Amino acid sequence: MEKSGYTEAGIQRVFKNYIPPFFMFDPNAYLEKKREELKNVTGRAIVAASGGVDSTVCAFLSHSILEDVTAVFIDDGLMREKEPEQVAHLFREGGIEVTIIPAQEEFFTDLKGKTDPEEKRRAFRNTFYKVLGRTLKDMQAEYLIQGTIAADIKETQGGIKTQHNILTQIGIDPGQYGLQIIEPLKDIYKHEVRAVGKALGLPESLWNRIAFPALRLACRVVGEVTPRRVEMVREATAIVEEELLTFNPFQVLAVLLEDRATGMVEGTRKFGNIIALRCVESTDALTAQPTELPWETLHQVVERITTEIPEVIKVVYDITPKPPSTIEYI
Ligand code: XMP
């Protein structure tokens, strides 16, 4: 019998979204440490920008320390609507030049026919580094800087999933792609990356933007990744982001499942696609809880997806926490 009115369930409810203050982590001391670490790096470096928080903070951190840094954005055909233009704009505003490298066909060719999640991840990784290796050579750069963070390494080494950006840590030599890799953020977690972005003086829209995997929409297509299947997820993503970002979740996503389901459209039976929605709260992406979305909001999202994307016949809201589920679907 609890004496006060505070039950364990009540405390958990109140503190579910509580983000601990950064008293254990001093971003300014961290920046000092990075300046020291990177001071001997000379020669041209290229940052692989994805538009996500980690690579964006990593790019601006490197740019604040190194002499010759430029960014490349690989257009793999797996991005959200208008993403290449938005990322390029964001970087240019912050004083970093971005070159967009068109590689859509190469990615879709290499992903063709692959349905196993790990096989897809390996195919993506291979194409990604092949294109980057070529780009580095073309741009006469010596180093590739990438925004790998501690969670990526931990999850890959822990055998949960092969994050596309992990090479050395699992015994792959970046030299085979002609690369020397620098990973300035590999010892910190997402909330610390955000604190570093803030300490760098970046606008909140940069360090507090919603997390988005560098594997992009390929994480959100279960089964074969084809241009049309990616297009469906892209359209659904635009809808869920429009409707759900106001709830300020850690991540919000739409996933195209491999299964199909029967529905009725204008009195006729239709066997169509299924989209799963995921909206989660987290601080470090290692654990996550589903967002308790209002019923009316969910109705509105379902209505929009099924009318605006006619191939979709069913929409489900996934409320599985991490663990046991991961945030993404592959
Ligand atoms: P999961 O799905 O493992 O995701 O719960 C944890 C966090 O990592 C992101 N994620 C990735 N990020 N490359 C990335 O850069 C990847 O291959 C990848 N897979 C997952 C995911 O969006 C979440 O924030």
Side-chain angles (χ1 to χ4, degrees):
M1 173 85 178
E2 307 231 18
K3 275 199 201 135
S4 71
Y6 297 108
T7 61
E8 195 185 320
I11 290 168
Q12 273 184 11
R13 208 166 38 243
V14 171
F15 286 100
K16 191 188 74 175
N17 293 324
Y18 174 72
I19 300 173
F22 302 125
F23 56 79
M24 300 287 284
F25 177 73
D26 177 352
N28 290 309
Y30 184 80
L31 280 173
E32 212 31 66
K33 183 173 127 191
K34 292 295 137 175
R35 281 192 194 104
E36 196 50 36
E37 261 175 45
L38 295 181
K39 76 174 183 213
N40 295 326
V41 174
T42 51
R44 170 166 293 178
I46 282 183
V47 183
S50 73
V53 178
D54 309 335
S55 65
T56 305
V57 171
C58 177
F60 283 93
L61 167 88
S62 315
H63 189 244
S64 75
I65 301 173
L66 303 177
E67 290 275 304
D68 190 2
V69 179
T70 174
V72 295
F73 183 85
I74 297 183
D75 187 347
D76 50 21
L78 302 165
M79 286 156 306
R80 290 172 291 186
E81 264 175 22
K82 305 192 185 87
E83 201 149 26
E85 304 80 15
Q86 280 169 0
V87 174
H89 176 74
L90 201 102
F91 273 65
R92 282 180 192 137
E93 282 228 302
I96 305 182
E97 201 38 54
V98 186
T99 307
I100 298 178
I101 312 287
Q104 301 95 319
E105 267 184 35
E106 211 166 333
F107 276 88
F108 281 118
T109 304
D110 293 350
L111 286 164
K112 198 170 163 47
K114 300 196 170 61
T115 54
D116 174 75
E118 282 294 297
E119 206 190 334
K120 280 158 63 177
R121 283 177 171 273
R122 280 194 297 272
F124 180 92
R125 179 179 67 203
N126 194 40
T127 312
F128 184 75
Y129 286 107
K130 222 169 49 190
V131 175
L132 273 175
R134 205 166 62 215
T135 306
L136 239 76
K137 214 168 148 200
D138 291 348
M139 295 175 87
Q140 295 171 341
E142 255 177 79
Y143 302 97
L144 170 70
I145 302 185
Q146 61 174 16
T148 315
I149 65 167
D152 301 340
I153 299 173
K154 201 167 175 168
E155 294 209 326
T156 303
Q157 287 176 331
I160 297 170
K161 62 176 69 163
T162 317
Q163 302 273 356
H164 82 285
N165 52 0
I166 304 301
L167 297 176
T168 325
Q169 293 88 346
I170 53 171
I172 301 174
D173 174 15
Q176 75 184 68
Y177 297 103
L179 298 171
Q180 279 192 80
I181 297 185
I182 303 174
E183 297 169 309
L185 304 177
K186 68 177 176 197
D187 49 352
I188 56 173
Y189 288 88
K190 185 75 87 194
H191 55 292
E192 295 162 335
V193 175
R194 294 194 202 278
V196 169
K198 191 175 177 189
L200 277 168
L202 301 178
E204 184 168 351
S205 57
L206 275 182
W207 54 262
N208 211 13
R209 61 200 334 246
I210 195 137
F212 188 63
L215 198 64
R216 298 177 179 146
L217 297 178
C219 276
R220 300 173 184 176
V221 173
V222 184
E224 192 182 7
V225 180
T226 64
R228 181 57 204 137
R229 299 193 82 222
V230 170
E231 186 52 33
M232 259 190 269
V233 174
R234 185 176 291 122
E235 289 172 32
T237 303
I239 297 171
V240 295
E241 289 191 351
E242 247 175 77
E243 298 291 336
L244 304 180
L245 281 182
T246 48
F247 292 89
N248 212 12
F250 177 78
Q251 261 177 294
V252 54
L253 34 135
V255 180
L256 176 66
L257 301 186
E258 205 173 9
D259 274 350
R260 302 227 268 164
T262 300
M264 290 265 292
V265 179
E266 290 163 6
T268 310
R269 178 185 182 279
K270 189 170 171 184
F271 196 49
N273 291 285
I274 310 173
I275 289 277
L277 305 180
R278 197 132 170 76
C279 189
V280 297
E281 309 304 321
S282 176
T283 50
D284 53 13
L286 292 178
T287 60
Q289 294 294 327
T291 309
E292 292 186 19
L293 292 169
W295 206 232
E296 314 83 73
T297 306
L298 286 168
H299 274 295
Q300 164 80 1
V301 176
V302 170
E303 167 73 20
R304 282 197 59 191
I305 292 181
T306 50
T307 50
E308 292 176 33
I309 316 172
E311 294 106 309
V312 177
I313 211 70
K314 204 181 270 296
V315 179
V316 294
Y317 183 38
D318 172 357
I319 57 164
T320 325
K322 175 180 179 175
S325 188
T326 57
I327 296 175
E328 306 286 349
Y329 265 58
I330 74 145

